Every structure is written in C-alpha cells, then in structure tokens.
Amino acid sequence: MGECVFCKIIRKEIPSTIYLENEKVIAIKDINPAAPVHVLIIPKEHIENVKDINENNGKILVDIHLAANKVADELGISQKGYRLITNVGKDAGQTVFHLHYHLLGGMEMGEKII
C-alpha cells in the first residue's frame, strides 16, 4: 500500500499550498475542492483516524480545532460559518488513512451533510 500521501506532504516531498504550519499540524489547500474554501488540517503525528485517539495523543484535537479557527479567520469565512468534517473508515469515505479534517466554506451549504 505504501506510505500515506500526507506523510510525504508533511516532509515537503510533495508540494502543497500551505495556509498554516506549526510543530503539531499543517493546513493545506485541498487539490479537489468540494467548496470555494476547502482546506485539509492534518496532524504531523501519524494517527490513522479518530478511532486511534487516546489519552496520549488526544490533545492533537485541540491543535486541529485551533488551526481550523485561525485558517477560517484568515480566509475570511469565520463570520459566515464553515463546516469541519473528518471521515472515519472506508465506509465513511476515508481514502487517506492519516487523521485529517476538511474545513469547508465560502458558500451556503445548508443543514444537511449528505
């Protein structure tokens, strides 16, 4: 199966448009956007998905949400609203098995997710 693409992005082996980066997370532009603003927020530590969050690594969720707030503000969508989604497992649509959140905004999405 090979190494996940996000690990290569984190190491800068694959170029990406970076909106935010710190020691814990990186936020990049999604190359297949589902909304006018579509950012992926990825922890640098490899965690497969939310099922693998535990007492030792759970603080990463705070870092992810703080990054989401900052990026949404910088991209001008924080006031009108945005959606923050993560997929857990194949049936939920997870295709890259490294925890990441989709920050979507820049349009009215309505209340239904699917």
Side-chain angles (χ1 to χ4, degrees):
M1 183 160 113
E3 186 176 28
C4 84
V5 67
F6 291 160
C7 297
K8 292 178 180 181
I9 289 171
I10 291 165
R11 290 195 309 265
K12 310 291 192 295
E13 294 171 8
I14 297 174
S16 61
T17 300
I18 299 171
Y19 293 113
L20 176 144
E21 182 175 15
N22 60 37
E23 64 280 350
K24 299 287 186 177
V25 300
I26 187 169
I28 63 169
K29 182 177 184 176
D30 192 300
I31 60 170
N32 295 308
V37 174
H38 190 162
V39 178
L40 301 176
I41 303 170
I42 309 161
K44 290 186 173 180
E45 176 185 351
H46 183 78
I47 300 167
E48 187 168 303
N49 59 41
V50 170
K51 290 186 324 188
D52 293 327
I53 295 293
N54 58 47
E55 295 81 16
N56 297 320
N57 63 16
K59 289 186 168 102
I60 195 63
L61 297 177
V62 172
D63 297 310
I64 290 168
H65 287 139
L66 290 173
N69 289 340
K70 183 171 179 139
V71 170
D73 193 46
E74 289 177 1
L75 295 178
I77 63 170
S78 63
Q79 293 303 309
K80 285 194 169 188
Y82 56 92
R83 186 167 287 163
L84 193 59
I85 299 172
T86 189
N87 300 320
V88 182
K90 186 177 139 195
D91 282 357
Q94 186 176 6
T95 58
V96 178
F97 290 88
H98 184 119
L99 178 66
H100 62 285
Y101 281 72
H102 297 259
L103 175 86
L104 302 149
M107 62 185 259
E108 187 174 333
M109 289 183 251
E111 46 186 72
K112 302 280 185 194
I113 293 176
I114 55 171

Coordinates of all heavy atoms in Angstrom, one line a residue, residues 29-76:
K29 N -4.3 23.5 1.1 CA -5.4 23.6 0.2 C -5.7 22.2 -0.4 O -4.7 21.5 -0.8 CB -5.0 24.5 -0.9 CG -6.1 24.7 -1.9 CD -5.7 25.8 -3.0 CE -6.8 26.0 -3.9 NZ -6.5 27.1 -4.9
D30 N -6.9 21.8 -0.4 CA -7.3 20.5 -1.0 C -7.2 20.6 -2.5 O -7.7 21.6 -3.1 CB -8.8 20.2 -0.6 CG -9.1 18.7 -0.9 OD1 -9.1 18.4 -2.1 OD2 -9.5 18.0 0.0
I31 N -6.6 19.6 -3.2 CA -6.4 19.7 -4.6 C -7.7 19.4 -5.4 O -7.8 19.6 -6.6 CB -5.3 18.9 -5.1 CG1 -5.5 17.4 -4.8 CG2 -3.9 19.4 -4.5 CD1 -4.5 16.5 -5.4
N32 N -8.7 18.8 -4.7 CA -10.0 18.5 -5.3 C -11.1 19.1 -4.5 O -11.9 18.4 -3.8 CB -10.2 17.0 -5.4 CG -9.3 16.3 -6.4 OD1 -9.1 16.8 -7.5 ND2 -8.6 15.3 -5.9
P33 N -11.2 20.5 -4.5 CA -12.1 21.2 -3.6 C -13.6 20.8 -3.8 O -14.0 20.7 -4.9 CB -11.8 22.6 -3.8 CG -11.3 22.7 -5.2 CD -10.5 21.4 -5.4
A34 N -14.3 20.7 -2.7 CA -15.7 20.5 -2.7 C -16.5 21.8 -2.3 O -17.7 21.8 -2.3 CB -16.1 19.4 -1.7
A35 N -15.8 22.9 -2.1 CA -16.3 24.2 -1.8 C -15.3 25.2 -2.2 O -14.2 24.9 -2.4 CB -16.6 24.2 -0.3
P36 N -15.8 26.5 -2.3 CA -14.8 27.5 -2.6 C -13.6 27.6 -1.7 O -12.5 27.9 -2.2 CB -15.6 28.8 -2.5 CG -17.0 28.4 -2.8 CD -17.1 27.0 -2.2
V37 N -13.8 27.3 -0.4 CA -12.7 27.2 0.5 C -12.7 25.7 1.0 O -13.7 25.3 1.5 CB -12.8 28.1 1.7 CG1 -11.8 27.8 2.8 CG2 -12.8 29.6 1.3
H38 N -11.6 25.0 0.7 CA -11.5 23.6 1.1 C -10.1 23.4 1.6 O -9.2 23.3 0.7 CB -11.9 22.7 0.0 CG -12.0 21.2 0.4 ND1 -12.7 20.3 -0.3 CD2 -11.6 20.6 1.5 CE1 -12.7 19.1 0.3 NE2 -12.0 19.3 1.4
V39 N -9.9 23.3 2.9 CA -8.6 23.1 3.5 C -8.5 21.8 4.2 O -9.5 21.4 4.9 CB -8.3 24.3 4.5 CG1 -7.0 24.1 5.1 CG2 -8.4 25.6 3.7
L40 N -7.4 21.1 4.1 CA -7.2 19.9 4.9 C -6.3 20.3 6.1 O -5.2 20.9 5.9 CB -6.5 18.8 4.1 CG -7.2 18.4 2.8 CD1 -6.4 17.4 2.0 CD2 -8.6 17.8 3.2
I41 N -6.7 19.9 7.3 CA -5.9 20.1 8.5 C -5.4 18.8 9.0 O -6.2 17.9 9.3 CB -6.8 20.9 9.6 CG1 -7.3 22.2 9.0 CG2 -5.9 21.1 10.8 CD1 -8.3 22.9 9.8
I42 N -4.1 18.6 9.0 CA -3.5 17.3 9.2 C -2.5 17.4 10.4 O -1.6 18.2 10.4 CB -2.7 16.9 7.9 CG1 -3.6 17.1 6.7 CG2 -2.1 15.5 8.1 CD1 -2.8 17.1 5.4
P43 N -2.7 16.5 11.4 CA -1.7 16.4 12.4 C -0.4 15.9 11.9 O -0.4 15.0 11.0 CB -2.3 15.5 13.5 CG -3.2 14.7 12.7 CD -3.7 15.5 11.6
K44 N 0.8 16.3 12.3 CA 2.0 15.8 11.8 C 2.3 14.4 12.4 O 3.0 13.6 11.7 CB 3.1 16.8 12.2 CG 3.0 18.1 11.4 CD 4.2 19.0 11.6 CE 4.2 20.1 10.6 NZ 5.3 21.0 10.8
E45 N 1.8 14.1 13.6 CA 1.9 12.8 14.1 C 1.0 11.9 13.3 O -0.2 12.2 13.1 CB 1.6 12.8 15.6 CG 1.6 11.4 16.2 CD 1.1 11.4 17.6 OE1 0.9 12.4 18.2 OE2 0.9 10.3 18.2
H46 N 1.5 10.7 12.9 CA 0.6 9.8 12.2 C -0.4 9.1 13.1 O 0.0 8.4 14.0 CB 1.4 8.7 11.4 CG 0.5 7.8 10.6 ND1 0.0 8.2 9.4 CD2 0.0 6.6 10.9 CE1 -0.8 7.3 9.0 NE2 -0.8 6.3 9.8
I47 N -1.6 9.4 12.9 CA -2.8 8.8 13.6 C -3.7 8.4 12.5 O -4.0 9.2 11.6 CB -3.4 9.8 14.6 CG1 -2.4 10.3 15.6 CG2 -4.6 9.2 15.2 CD1 -2.9 11.5 16.4
E48 N -4.1 7.2 12.4 CA -5.0 6.7 11.3 C -6.3 7.4 11.2 O -6.7 7.9 10.1 CB -5.2 5.2 11.4 CG -5.9 4.7 10.2 CD -5.9 3.2 10.1 OE1 -4.8 2.6 10.1 OE2 -7.0 2.6 10.0
N49 N -7.0 7.6 12.3 CA -8.3 8.3 12.3 C -8.7 8.5 13.7 O -8.0 8.2 14.7 CB -9.4 7.6 11.4 CG -9.7 6.2 11.8 OD1 -9.8 5.9 13.0 ND2 -9.9 5.3 10.8
V50 N -9.9 9.0 13.9 CA -10.4 9.4 15.2 C -10.5 8.1 16.2 O -10.3 8.3 17.4 CB -11.8 10.0 15.1 CG1 -12.5 10.2 16.5 CG2 -11.7 11.4 14.5
K51 N -10.7 6.9 15.6 CA -10.7 5.7 16.4 C -9.4 5.5 17.2 O -9.3 4.9 18.2 CB -10.9 4.5 15.6 CG -12.3 4.4 15.0 CD -12.6 3.0 14.3 CE -11.3 2.6 13.6 NZ -11.4 1.5 12.8
D52 N -8.3 6.1 16.7 CA -7.0 5.9 17.3 C -6.6 7.1 18.2 O -5.5 7.1 18.7 CB -5.9 5.7 16.2 CG -6.1 4.4 15.5 OD1 -6.5 3.4 16.1 OD2 -5.8 4.4 14.2
I53 N -7.5 7.9 18.5 CA -7.3 9.0 19.5 C -7.4 8.3 20.9 O -8.3 7.6 21.2 CB -8.3 10.1 19.4 CG1 -8.2 10.8 18.0 CG2 -8.2 11.1 20.5 CD1 -6.9 11.6 17.9
N54 N -6.4 8.7 21.7 CA -6.4 8.2 23.1 C -5.9 9.2 24.1 O -5.6 10.4 23.7 CB -5.6 6.9 23.2 CG -4.1 7.1 22.7 OD1 -3.5 8.0 23.1 ND2 -3.7 6.2 21.8
E55 N -5.7 8.8 25.3 CA -5.2 9.8 26.3 C -3.8 10.3 26.0 O -3.5 11.5 26.4 CB -5.1 9.1 27.7 CG -6.5 8.6 28.3 CD -7.0 7.3 27.7 OE1 -6.1 6.6 27.1 OE2 -8.2 7.0 27.8
N56 N -3.0 9.6 25.3 CA -1.7 10.1 25.0 C -1.6 11.1 23.8 O -0.7 11.9 23.8 CB -0.7 8.9 24.6 CG -0.6 8.0 25.8 OD1 -0.5 8.4 27.0 ND2 -0.6 6.7 25.6
N57 N -2.5 11.0 22.9 CA -2.5 11.8 21.7 C -3.7 12.7 21.5 O -3.8 13.5 20.6 CB -2.2 11.0 20.4 CG -3.4 10.1 20.1 OD1 -4.5 10.2 20.7 ND2 -3.1 9.1 19.3
G58 N -4.6 12.7 22.4 CA -5.9 13.4 22.3 C -5.8 14.9 22.2 O -6.6 15.6 21.7
K59 N -4.7 15.4 22.8 CA -4.5 16.9 22.7 C -4.4 17.4 21.3 O -4.6 18.6 21.1 CB -3.4 17.3 23.6 CG -3.6 17.1 25.1 CD -2.5 17.7 25.9 CE -2.9 17.8 27.3 NZ -2.6 16.9 28.3
I60 N -4.1 16.5 20.4 CA -4.0 17.0 19.0 C -5.3 17.5 18.5 O -5.3 18.4 17.6 CB -3.5 15.8 18.1 CG1 -3.0 16.4 16.7 CG2 -4.5 14.8 17.8 CD1 -1.8 17.3 16.8
L61 N -6.4 17.1 19.0 CA -7.7 17.6 18.6 C -7.9 19.1 18.9 O -8.5 19.8 18.1 CB -8.9 16.8 19.2 CG -8.9 15.3 18.8 CD1 -10.0 14.6 19.6 CD2 -9.1 15.2 17.3
V62 N -7.3 19.5 20.0 CA -7.3 21.0 20.3 C -6.5 21.7 19.3 O -6.9 22.7 18.8 CB -6.8 21.2 21.8 CG1 -6.6 22.7 22.0 CG2 -7.7 20.6 22.8
D63 N -5.3 21.2 19.0 CA -4.4 21.8 18.0 C -5.1 21.9 16.6 O -5.0 22.9 15.9 CB -3.1 21.1 17.8 CG -2.3 21.1 19.1 OD1 -2.1 22.1 19.7 OD2 -1.9 20.0 19.6
I64 N -5.9 20.9 16.2 CA -6.6 20.9 15.0 C -7.7 21.9 15.0 O -7.8 22.7 14.0 CB -7.2 19.5 14.7 CG1 -6.0 18.5 14.4 CG2 -8.2 19.5 13.6 CD1 -6.5 17.0 14.3
H65 N -8.4 22.0 16.0 CA -9.5 23.0 16.1 C -9.0 24.4 16.2 O -9.6 25.3 15.6 CB -10.5 22.7 17.2 CG -11.3 21.5 16.9 ND1 -11.6 20.5 17.9 CD2 -11.9 21.1 15.8 CE1 -12.4 19.6 17.3 NE2 -12.5 19.9 16.1
L66 N -7.9 24.6 16.9 CA -7.3 26.0 16.9 C -6.8 26.4 15.5 O -7.0 27.5 15.1 CB -6.2 26.0 17.9 CG -6.6 26.0 19.4 CD1 -5.3 25.9 20.3 CD2 -7.4 27.1 19.8
A67 N -6.2 25.4 14.8 CA -5.8 25.7 13.5 C -7.0 26.0 12.6 O -6.9 26.9 11.7 CB -5.0 24.5 12.9
A68 N -8.1 25.3 12.7 CA -9.3 25.5 11.9 C -9.8 26.9 12.1 O -10.1 27.6 11.2 CB -10.3 24.5 12.2
N69 N -9.8 27.3 13.4 CA -10.3 28.7 13.7 C -9.4 29.7 13.1 O -9.9 30.7 12.5 CB -10.3 28.9 15.2 CG -11.4 28.1 15.9 OD1 -12.4 27.7 15.3 ND2 -11.3 27.9 17.2
K70 N -8.1 29.5 13.2 CA -7.2 30.5 12.6 C -7.3 30.6 11.1 O -7.3 31.7 10.5 CB -5.8 30.2 13.1 CG -4.8 31.2 12.6 CD -3.4 31.0 13.2 CE -2.5 32.1 12.7 NZ -1.6 32.6 13.6
V71 N -7.3 29.4 10.4 CA -7.4 29.4 9.0 C -8.7 30.0 8.5 O -8.7 30.8 7.5 CB -7.2 28.0 8.4 CG1 -7.5 27.9 7.0 CG2 -5.7 27.5 8.7
A72 N -9.8 29.6 9.1 CA -11.1 30.2 8.8 C -11.1 31.7 8.9 O -11.7 32.4 8.0 CB -12.2 29.5 9.6
D73 N -10.5 32.2 9.9 CA -10.4 33.6 10.1 C -9.6 34.3 9.0 O -10.0 35.3 8.4 CB -9.9 34.0 11.5 CG -10.1 35.4 11.9 OD1 -11.2 35.9 11.7 OD2 -9.1 36.0 12.3
E74 N -8.4 33.7 8.8 CA -7.5 34.3 7.7 C -8.1 34.2 6.3 O -7.8 35.1 5.5 CB -6.2 33.5 7.8 CG -5.4 33.9 9.0 CD -4.0 33.1 9.1 OE1 -3.7 32.3 8.2 OE2 -3.3 33.3 10.1
L75 N -8.9 33.2 6.1 CA -9.5 33.1 4.7 C -10.9 33.8 4.6 O -11.6 33.7 3.6 CB -9.7 31.6 4.4 CG -8.3 30.9 4.2 CD1 -8.5 29.4 3.9 CD2 -7.5 31.5 3.1
G76 N -11.3 34.4 5.7 CA -12.5 35.3 5.7 C -13.8 34.5 5.7 O -14.8 35.1 5.3

